[in-house]
Amino acid sequence: MSPASSITDSTGAVQTALTLGPLVGLNSVQAAAGTGITVTFTANGAAGAPAAIVKVAGDAQTAASGTAVAVKPAVRLTDAHGNAVPGASVMFAVAAGGGSVTGASVTSDGTGRATVGGWTLGTSGAQSLTATSGSLTTTFTATIGGPAAAVGSTVLNTHADTLTALGDTYQLTAQARDSLNRAVAGAFTWVSRTPAHATVSAGGLVTAVANGSTWVVATDTSGTRDSAQVVVQQRVATVLVSPAARSIYLTRNFTFTAQAVDGRGHPLPGAPTFTWASNAPATASVDSTGLVTGLGLGPVQISATTGGITGVAAISVLTPITRIVVGRDSVGLPVTDTTALAALGRTRKFRALAYDTASAPMTGVTFAWTSTNGSVAVLDSVTGVTARATAAANGLTAITATAQGVSGSAGLSVSQVQASIVVTPAADTIAVGGSTRFTARALDSNTHALAGAAGFRFHSLQPGTASVDSVTGVVIGVANGTAFITATLGALTSNQVQVVVGGTVPATLSFGRDTLSVGRGSMAVDLNA
């Protein structure tokens, strides 16, 4: 049968090719899907074309010239596997001696036997008769002589044979011979000494019944007899593994059974020993009892072998995980948290939990973690069930946990919130009429600057000493003294920076990190403006 395992098409149908066994009789194949769903197809094996023609009666006889031989010549037709071929045409014809035949065209019976109506010998010389079926031919011979002598012995065509399947048959034939060992006509009675093991029909057809042996005896009316020992010994022809197909979950197990049957599907007696094997032991293992354990995901073939014959079953190892929940770790459980991380460098610990087909939480599952947007949040402190995400930039990402081909995720938003304002530089000195510029920046709670922050308003706490442009942050010295400058944005107020007006101001050109000053009382220019 090929293939032994297949997948249904879009209509739900599936098919395979079945090659029948060599023996005539019923063949069956079982299709299995899922767990416990089976259907059985049957096909009847018929005999093939004739492959051999064998003489079974009426050869080497002696009769008076112009008379018919006592035993009508008969042949048996078999196919390439030794099965009797019924319904085959056989033509008998005189080949030498000038005799004649009646009933020359014969059709073989249910046992493959074809018997000529009669053969009358010629007047002299060698006598022969051919039996032909297609390209197959055999020749009978006869000798012209006086009347045959009385039966002196009975001889069977074989004295020992072995049948390997219950229900198998074998055709025994008997021949009566005179004291000169010439074939003569005989009438026989057939008996099996142990019919519990094999029976015999009135025509000598032996049928296997049970393992064991018997003697089959053919007795002629003259009292002569011969016997043949027939042994019935079943041999393994097929190993049936049950079920033929099965799905199991990862880490779970299932026990398969195997049965050895003969060529006609009859189980062998006793308990044959099977050798079990897996063609993918990393995916599914099997022990000496047929216990299969799922170790990885995918298809596997499990085989059982005895007597050199192997049977197989198809297995699919599936994941029991139906869903994975990912959320903020809260006392060992994942919970939904839609709150954005308000500062760069802040962290959130995530936990994953897998659920099985019964919606029950699973233990012992190890997850692989990823952040779909690593520029927004990076993962560190990763374990099999948890991962910590650290905010790196404003934006959105998803934290994903994957196990056994199933994934779950939770969204994470990073959105910096203004927590403070810082004004730089912290202090400066200018002359009356001179100027300098201060810069304000918004920071989150981890002192990371917020990009794009705008709308700062600058204030001078001593405008009589130094005034400040509320938008640009440019400070102008009004009178000698000290003034403090702040910046506000919404409800936030920055640190106070000091401006000293007067005092000693360099008369030379000087460069600061962010400013350029020229002369005493000159303006300080912010190079970053």
Side-chain angles (χ1 to χ4, degrees):
M1 183 170 63
S2 177
S5 174
S6 188
I7 299 174
T8 57
D9 62 20
S10 60
T11 67
V14 67
Q15 63 182 5
T16 188
L18 173 65
T19 300
L20 301 185
L23 302 178
V24 171
L26 186 66
N27 289 254
S28 65
V29 62
Q30 185 182 76
T35 55
I37 302 174
T38 61
V39 63
T40 300
F41 298 89
T42 60
N44 193 52
I53 185 169
V54 179
K55 294 179 285 187
V56 294
D59 191 27
Q61 299 184 74
T62 299
S65 62
T67 63
V69 294
V71 179
K72 298 176 181 180
V75 295
R76 184 170 183 261
L77 298 174
T78 57
D79 64 15
H81 299 290
N83 299 300
V85 180
S89 177
V90 179
M91 180 64 69
F92 291 86
V94 173
S100 63
V101 295
T102 60
S105 179
V106 184
T107 299
S108 59
D109 61 17
T111 67
R113 186 180 179 114
T115 304
V116 71
W119 180 23
T120 299
L121 302 185
T123 57
S124 63
Q127 305 289 310
S128 62
L129 176 73
T130 60
T132 303
S133 179
S135 62
L136 304 174
T137 299
T138 190
T139 301
F140 294 85
T141 61
T143 301
I144 295 175
V151 175
S153 64
T154 294
V155 179
L156 294 183
N157 62 325
T158 186
H159 290 101
D161 193 54
T162 299
L163 303 179
T164 59
L166 305 186
D168 274 1
T169 59
Y170 183 76
Q171 180 66 54
L172 288 174
T173 59
Q175 177 65 61
R177 294 188 177 275
D178 62 17
S179 59
L180 298 178
N181 200 32
R182 295 176 298 185
V184 295
F188 306 99
T189 300
W190 295 87
V191 174
S192 170
R193 297 297 189 195
T194 313
H197 293 153
T199 61
V200 63
S201 71
L205 183 66
V206 179
T207 301
V209 176
N211 289 319
S213 64
T214 185
W215 286 93
V216 177
V217 181
T219 303
D220 181 65
T221 53
S222 65
T224 62
R225 62 175 60 106
D226 194 9
S227 61
Q229 185 182 40
V230 176
V231 175
V232 179
Q233 181 60 59
Q234 288 175 278
R235 294 177 186 169
V236 180
T238 304
V239 172
L240 303 176
V241 179
S242 182
R246 173 85 182 192
S247 294
I248 63 174
Y249 289 123
L250 189 67
T251 73
R252 311 292 172 80
N253 49 50
F254 182 83
T255 300
F256 286 78
T257 60
Q259 184 182 53
V261 298
D262 63 23
R264 294 185 179 270
H266 298 285
L268 271 67
T273 299
F274 295 96
T275 299
W276 293 88
S278 167
N279 73 337
T283 303
S285 65
V286 61
D287 68 9
S288 60
T289 68
L291 179 68
V292 175
T293 302
L295 302 176
L297 302 181
V300 185
Q301 280 194 339
I302 299 298
S303 63
T305 301
T306 187
I309 305 298
T310 298
V312 299
I315 297 177
S316 293
V317 182
L318 310 175
T319 175
I321 298 175
T322 58
R323 60 191 175 97
I324 294 174
V325 174
V326 178
R328 177 173 58 82
D329 186 15
S330 176
V331 197
L333 292 174
V335 297
T336 301
D337 189 343
T338 59
T339 305
L341 295 180
L344 304 187
R346 282 197 179 180
T347 63
R348 179 167 296 160
K349 186 178 181 181
F350 289 87
R351 178 175 290 272
L353 184 60
Y355 290 84
D356 64 16
T357 54
S359 292
M362 301 172 61
T363 60
V365 178
T366 299
F367 301 92
W369 294 88
T370 57
S371 171
T372 59
N373 190 343
S375 64
V376 172
V378 295
L379 298 181
D380 56 18
S381 299
V382 175
T383 70
V385 294
T386 63
R388 187 178 68 180
T390 300
N394 291 319
L396 299 174
T397 187
I399 307 303
T400 301
T402 302
Q404 300 173 25
V406 181
S407 296
S409 63
L412 176 62
S413 172
V414 178
S415 180
Q416 286 175 282
V417 174
Q418 298 169 164
S420 63
I421 301 172
V422 63
V423 176
T424 57
D428 204 353
T429 299
I430 60 175
V432 173
S435 65
T436 188
R437 184 174 180 175
F438 290 90
T439 302
R441 292 184 298 162
L443 306 178
D444 63 22
S445 60
N446 280 344
T447 69
H448 293 282
L450 275 70
F456 297 101
R457 291 293 181 266
F458 292 89
H459 308 275
S460 173
L461 302 185
Q462 291 81 27
T465 302
S467 64
V468 62
D469 186 299
S470 64
V471 175
T472 65
V474 174
V475 176
I476 297 176
V478 177
N480 289 334
T482 299
F484 293 93
I485 307 298
T486 63
T488 61
L489 182 62
L492 298 176
T493 301
S494 73
N495 58 309
Q496 295 181 8
V497 294
Q498 178 180 280
V499 177
V500 176
V501 180
T504 301
V505 178
T508 59
L509 179 67
S510 63
F511 295 89
R513 183 175 66 88
D514 300 312
T515 61
L516 169 65
S517 298
V518 181
R520 181 176 291 113
S522 63
M523 177 185 294
V525 180
D526 187 348
L527 298 179
N528 294 316

